[in-house]
Amino acid sequence: MRCDTLWTRARLATCAGDGLGLIEQGCVAASDGTIVYAGPVADAPVLDPVQRIDCAGRWITPGLIDCHTHLVHGGDRSHEFELRLAGASYEEIARAGGGIVSTMEATRAASEDALVASALPRLDALIAEGVTTVEIKSGYGLDTATEVRMLRAARRLGVERPVRVATTFLGAHALPPEYAGDADGYIAMLCDVLLSQVAAAGLADAVDAFCEGIGFSLAQTERIFRAAAAHGLPVKLHAEQLSNLHGAALAAQYAAISADHLEYLDDAGVAAMARAGTVATLLPGAYYFVRETKLPPIAALRAAGVPIALATDCNPGTSPLTSLLLTMNMGATLFGLTVDECLLGVTRNGAQALGLADRIGTLEAGKACDLAIWDIERPAELVYRMGFNPLHARIWSGQ
Ligand code: DI6
Ligand code: FE
């Protein structure tokens, strides 16, 4: 079989089938950016590659997937970090006009070029650790012009760098000051005006909302979900992060691809997610940064067979984190996830959380050739180390 590139003498964590799908003597072959073979050398068809790359026993995993970020935004919130160090809580700061609304002001003041320029170093940090797909949400504009500008900036990041960008419309992230006291009016504007514009311009791959006491109610979230469905867009949800509003169960009812955070998720929510095939995206960076103490119900999620994804939640308020490797370490250390769960959380299950399970997330024929090649002896090292990057090479779409 003729192919563009053959990576030989590799050890593979295919992340397909059971567990990590480990193969000691493996190879990967790709043509036109797509994997044509990934598996044991012994079972490989006769391959006639244009280019042959000797991996000298290094490990290959699927390119990593960060399935929940707020990478595009203006400004930072290091000042609020200092206030929190002095004892203020995240919710107190939010209610006092800080929080998401302060980032909204900085984002509204930034041009599209400025948004791209400020996001690039964060994106580059992720890429440097083998990330090949990143989800990016809007939600710091909270008006038509800025939400659209954020999504355009997110799309442009996928042109400026060799990375796949999945965009998510998060207009329902916080109530902008213009709509103070009229959350329903804001939701109506999102559903009737802004979402139509975003959908018509092809700027969003999914729709998200912040269902929370300091965010939007269950009823308001449901209106967003209905509008998303009318535009044929899949939904996901920030649910049960600070309290239990039963958002995950509502999301499951709307066949959400993921429900995210989930510290306060209850058994009924777990069962609803299991029935709907909704991925649980856990965000240990936010848990750590706001010093949350309530753990997501890991044992119940496992028992119900809910797929678990892990992501950075990179955002200026609750998770200024740009390392998916450290996220895995936190998933293991703070949440008690196994090495296999952490690695599947940033590969196969991350892909499912984006509705992209048919294209990325595993090393299998037919998937995009997104690879991370690591200087490690065992896959567990990717989860075990803190602040160390063993990436040897990163391949995106075969390049
Ligand atoms: N939950 C979060 O942790 C972030 N957004 C959300 O809905 C926080 C965003 C911020 O504080 O800027
Ligand atoms: Fe988030």
Side-chain angles (χ1 to χ4, degrees):
M1 183 198 294
R2 188 128 180 99
C3 65
D4 295 342
T5 310
L6 175 64
W7 288 268
T8 59
R9 291 214 303 150
R11 290 182 277 182
L12 310 182
T14 63
C15 299
D18 285 340
L20 293 182
L22 303 181
I23 294 168
E24 278 292 328
Q25 295 187 340
C27 63
V28 177
S31 273
D32 299 322
T34 300
I35 295 174
V36 295
Y37 179 78
V41 172
D43 300 345
V46 178
L47 291 160
D48 175 20
V50 175
Q51 179 186 213
R52 181 184 292 266
I53 295 173
D54 182 354
C55 294
R58 292 187 182 88
W59 280 92
I60 303 182
T61 66
L64 305 189
I65 298 166
D66 194 350
C67 68
H68 179 143
T69 87
H70 309 250
L71 212 65
V72 169
H73 59 80
D76 75 73
R77 303 244 289 281
S78 55
H79 173 64
E80 287 180 16
F81 176 58
E82 291 184 288
L83 291 178
R84 286 205 301 113
L85 289 175
S89 76
Y90 177 68
E91 282 176 279
E92 278 162 15
I93 292 170
R95 290 188 194 283
I100 294 171
V101 170
S102 74
T103 299
M104 175 206 79
E105 281 158 8
T107 305
R108 286 183 179 178
S111 66
E112 186 179 313
D113 285 348
L115 289 176
V116 170
S118 67
L120 274 174
R122 296 188 281 272
L123 178 60
D124 286 339
L126 293 174
I127 285 174
E129 289 187 349
V131 168
T132 48
T133 297
V134 61
E135 184 257 19
I136 303 178
K137 300 176 195 297
S138 71
Y140 288 117
L142 313 179
D143 64 20
T144 304
T146 318
E147 286 291 307
V148 165
R149 195 158 73 247
M150 285 186 76
L151 292 168
R152 280 193 210 288
R155 287 272 193 244
R156 254 180 65 193
L157 289 169
V159 177
E160 302 269 340
R161 292 292 186 269
V163 71
R164 192 170 280 99
V165 172
T167 55
T168 300
F169 175 64
L170 179 59
H173 193 197
L175 189 63
E178 307 84 84
Y179 283 87
D182 185 20
D184 285 333
Y186 179 60
I187 294 291
M189 187 280 283
L190 291 183
C191 294
D192 302 342
V193 183
L194 188 40
L195 186 54
S196 316
Q197 226 173 291
V198 162
L203 281 172
D205 300 318
V207 174
D208 192 351
F210 187 30
C211 184
E212 191 58 68
I214 57 169
F216 295 93
S217 70
L218 213 54
Q220 289 159 347
T221 300
E222 186 161 17
R223 290 178 66 189
I224 296 284
F225 284 174
R226 287 224 181 94
H231 290 288
L233 290 171
V235 298
K236 33 179 60 226
L237 189 65
H238 283 71
E240 276 76 90
Q241 178 185 9
L242 308 168
S243 62
N244 183 8
L245 296 192
H246 309 289
L250 176 72
Q253 217 177 297
Y254 282 81
I257 43 181
S258 73
D260 304 36
H261 285 289
L262 304 176
E263 278 82 348
Y264 290 81
L265 181 67
D266 62 16
D267 287 345
V270 172
M273 289 177 66
R275 277 195 302 273
T278 300
V279 175
T281 297
L282 304 182
L283 305 167
Y287 172 93
Y288 162 85
F289 196 74
V290 303
R291 296 191 201 169
E292 178 59 67
T293 53
K294 177 118 170 65
L295 287 166
I298 305 286
L301 290 168
R302 272 185 193 133
V306 175
I308 295 173
L310 282 178
T312 62
D313 194 16
C314 177
N315 79 71
T318 61
S319 190
L321 171 62
T322 48
S323 170
L324 208 45
L325 292 176
L326 184 55
T327 300
M328 282 196 281
N329 180 272
M330 288 177 170
T333 304
L334 299 175
F335 290 174
L337 297 178
T338 65
V339 164
D340 288 20
E341 286 171 333
C342 290
L343 284 167
L344 293 175
V346 298
T347 54
R348 185 171 75 200
N349 295 344
Q352 195 180 331
L354 296 177
L356 294 174
D358 57 336
R359 291 184 53 211
I360 55 172
T362 64
L363 304 181
E364 288 178 287
K367 296 275 176 91
C369 184
D370 294 354
L371 315 177
I373 306 178
W374 306 97
D375 265 320
I376 52 173
E377 278 305 316
R378 306 180 61 235
E381 285 178 60
L382 298 176
V383 180
Y384 150 76
R385 295 187 189 282
M386 298 187 287
F388 182 74
N389 180 7
L391 187 75
H392 169 74
R394 172 191 178 276
I395 312 298
W396 181 74
S397 277
Q399 304 287 317

